[in-house]
Amino acid sequence: MATRRIISTEKGALDIDSSGFTKPAEGKSNISPAVPAHVIVKLLGFTLAMIVCPLGTYFLSLNTLFKGNSTWAGASAALMANVVLIGYVVVAFNEDQTDAIEAAEKESKKGK
């Protein structure tokens, strides 16, 4: 007859209450959001810009700049989409560098 070994991470009979649910982990739970709010706001802003800028550029330039030539108006709209995309990448890189600098400053303050 084989015996059963209880692994330390496995919930035993004493860890389960009468309703069948396991007890919550000891200590404080982390209820902070997975993604900070300012990141979501930037993403939504660039999403709106990715829709509005190319379409606005196309329709504004179609009759004003290019006098009905839809090829050039479409090319300018594609250019604006790339400008918005590059802007998002630049903002994301700068935000990443800012987070790294803030973390380094916190570490240097702890050491003092």
Side-chain angles (χ1 to χ4, degrees):
M1 175 183 230
T3 60
R4 180 172 177 200
R5 287 187 259 168
I6 296 177
I7 302 171
S8 63
T9 58
E10 184 178 0
K11 299 291 182 189
L14 298 176
D15 294 328
I16 300 175
D17 64 6
S18 61
S19 63
F21 294 108
T22 58
K23 292 180 183 177
E26 298 297 324
K28 291 185 176 182
S29 63
N30 185 4
I31 59 170
S32 63
V35 179
H38 66 92
V39 173
I40 300 295
V41 169
K42 286 180 189 175
L43 180 65
L44 289 175
F46 277 101
T47 301
L48 182 66
M50 187 59 99
I51 295 168
V52 171
C53 287
L55 286 174
T57 301
Y58 176 80
F59 287 111
L60 287 175
S61 68
L62 182 63
N63 292 323
T64 56
L65 288 176
F66 303 117
K67 310 226 183 320
N69 188 347
S70 62
T71 303
W72 287 106
S76 64
L79 179 68
M80 284 306 296
N82 284 312
V83 167
V84 171
L85 182 63
I86 290 169
Y88 180 72
V89 170
V90 168
V91 167
F93 273 126
N94 287 338
E95 182 178 333
D96 190 33
Q97 290 173 355
T98 304
D99 291 343
I101 291 169
E102 288 174 359
E105 287 176 359
K106 285 181 183 179
E107 288 296 321
S108 66
K109 288 180 182 179
K110 281 185 180 180
K112 290 182 179 181

